[in-house]
Amino acid sequence: MYPRKLLATIGLLALAGCAGGPSVTGEPVSGHGAIEGAAEVAEPQLHLVAIDAKGQSSMLDLLDGTETGLDAITPPETVTTDGRYVFAADDAGVSIIDSGVWTWDHVDHFHYYRSQPRALPRLDGDGVATISTGMLSTAGSTGVFFPTSGEAVLLDNKALSQGELTETLRLTVDPHAGLIAPLGEGALVSRTGEGEKAIQVDAVDDAGTTLASHACEAASGSITTRVGLVVGCADGAVIATLDGDTPVLEHVPYPADAAAPATTFQARKGRPTVAGIGDGSGVWLLDTRESSWQWLKTSTPVVTATAVDDAGEHVVAVGEDGTIQVYDAGSGDSIGATKPLLASTLADPAVSGSVGVMVDGQRAYVNASAEGVVYEIDYADAARVARTLELATQPVHLMETGR
């Protein structure tokens, strides 16, 4: 029932345009995303941010090829982005890089901004944090969960845009491999039972008061789509939305006899369909508008995948053999694959776990750190390698910003 209501809400937002109002995830859409000192420009300012094993970092402007050195950070274990900020987590905290480029999503159109990149204050914590981002980089919040201490923190994105680290919520729960993900002014927080594994997610308000709960064993892999917030569970996923200020938690179970559950999700920013890896033999696709799963069988086992969710329904994956593969989610057919471009990277345990696929409206970017390059893939042209990019920093970790 409520997916139709959500689609109607999206239609009203499109009609409202720059007039403002709440988004389906509760984040404001007025203000256009502008901040003091930033220039509004005519097109997305797409950049690649690379971080090496020692924490050295740099940016590459994909429009004109300009390279910019960035401040060194603590060597990260994992790296996450919301399309502007790069959150680099190690076992003692999170370093934050402001790439200075971002897109403000107004549903029916976009605003693009550019300012100077800079390092932001560091957030200390215990254990490699799980980062959960929202749709907008200058509004709403970002969730940071420290598994060893159980500290669950929401950071104010407006304050981040001004170079400040401001917490809007901090909770302490039992230590576990969990998450806190932004939902409106509050969040979705994982909770444990008698053991050390998550058994449910609680929707809390900005004071930490629980408003709704849903069972979700082994909660992991949060991602925010245009429809709502997704959290993976052992038996499916929970899609969290807001009806006014009231959280609505819907469970979307896997089909019977499903492959192993997805533990992370990736997608082109803001799109409703997300991709997750199950047992490696294929890719899970979750359509958040239809609240339905699709299993996409791949020609070889894969290590990571991203849903482009464009008119061609492209899905981009990296095979265990080092190939970059593109599929048509509508038909399930393979529409192209490269040679084994990442064979050396995937054979190196020190860097193989950091391989990722970044996608925008036209291209995909895959970091081959052992080879020392990033491959730009034209996914609409049968996985054609459009460019082989050499960055100033070895791309052990790679994020695309400006989206």
Side-chain angles (χ1 to χ4, degrees), residues 333-354:
D333 294 338
S334 170
I335 60 175
T338 68
K339 298 182 294 184
L341 300 175
L342 286 86
S344 296
T345 294
L346 294 179
D348 185 349
V351 296
S352 60
S354 300

Side-chain angles (χ1 to χ4, degrees), residues 7-352:
L7 291 174
T9 302
I10 292 170
L12 290 173
L13 285 170
L15 290 174
C18 286
S23 74
V24 292
T25 51
E27 296 168 328
V29 295
S30 60
H32 303 173
I35 63 170
E36 185 177 354
E40 184 167 4
V41 291
E43 60 184 329
Q45 301 297 292
L46 300 176
H47 283 65
L48 297 180
V49 177
I51 304 173
D52 69 13
K54 296 181 180 180
Q56 300 297 319
S57 58
S58 64
M59 286 175 51
L60 174 67
D61 188 327
L62 289 168
L63 300 181
D64 63 15
T66 301
E67 292 182 339
T68 303
L70 302 172
D71 292 344
I73 61 172
T74 303
E77 295 288 332
T78 63
V79 176
T80 308
T81 188
D82 65 349
R84 174 179 177 175
Y85 309 108
V86 175
F87 301 93
D90 57 81
D91 62 4
V94 180
S95 300
I96 307 172
I97 299 170
D98 181 357
S99 70
V101 289
W102 68 97
T103 294
W104 178 273
D105 185 347
H106 245 300
V107 182
D108 62 334
H109 68 281
F110 302 90
H111 296 264
Y112 311 110
Y113 296 95
R114 183 165 190 151
S115 62
Q116 292 298 314
R118 58 183 169 178
L120 298 183
R122 179 177 162 86
L123 179 66
D124 294 327
D126 197 358
V128 179
T130 297
I131 312 296
S132 302
T133 62
M135 288 281 287
L136 302 173
S137 63
T138 57
S141 57
T142 297
V144 182
F145 187 91
F146 293 103
T148 304
S149 64
E151 294 292 316
V153 180
L154 284 184
L155 297 178
D156 179 34
N157 286 349
K158 183 176 180 180
L160 286 178
S161 73
Q162 298 167 346
E164 303 169 358
L165 204 64
T166 301
E167 299 178 9
T168 61
L169 178 66
R170 179 179 282 264
L171 301 174
T172 302
V173 300
D174 292 333
H176 67 290
L179 58 87
I180 178 171
L183 181 68
E185 297 298 316
L188 209 63
V189 185
S190 61
R191 306 277 188 171
T192 62
E194 296 180 357
E196 296 181 353
K197 293 184 178 181
I199 63 168
Q200 71 184 52
V201 287
D202 293 346
V204 302
D205 63 16
D206 56 0
T209 302
T210 299
L211 304 178
S213 299
H214 203 292
C216 182
E217 183 180 350
S220 62
S222 68
I223 188 170
T224 300
T225 75
R226 191 175 297 284
V227 173
L229 168 65
V230 175
V231 173
C233 311
D235 60 352
V238 168
I239 301 176
T241 56
L242 291 173
D243 184 1
D245 294 328
T246 303
V248 179
L249 307 181
E250 180 194 21
H251 180 238
V252 184
Y254 286 118
D257 302 321
T263 56
T264 60
F265 296 100
Q266 295 187 85
R268 181 158 62 106
K269 184 178 179 181
R271 302 301 300 170
T273 300
V274 300
I277 299 296
D279 60 3
S281 64
V283 178
W284 280 115
L285 297 173
L286 174 62
D287 184 334
T288 59
R289 281 183 176 156
E290 299 296 330
S291 300
S292 63
W293 292 100
Q294 175 189 348
W295 176 249
L296 179 66
K297 180 70 175 177
T298 53
S299 56
T300 69
V302 294
V303 298
T304 187
T306 298
V308 181
D309 200 21
D310 57 350
E313 299 186 70
H314 295 103
V315 176
V316 185
V318 175
E320 287 184 355
D321 59 356
T323 59
I324 302 171
Q325 307 168 9
V326 180
Y327 295 87
D328 180 337
S331 65
D333 294 338
S334 170
I335 60 175
T338 68
K339 298 182 294 184
L341 300 175
L342 286 86
S344 296
T345 294
L346 294 179
D348 185 349
V351 296
S352 60

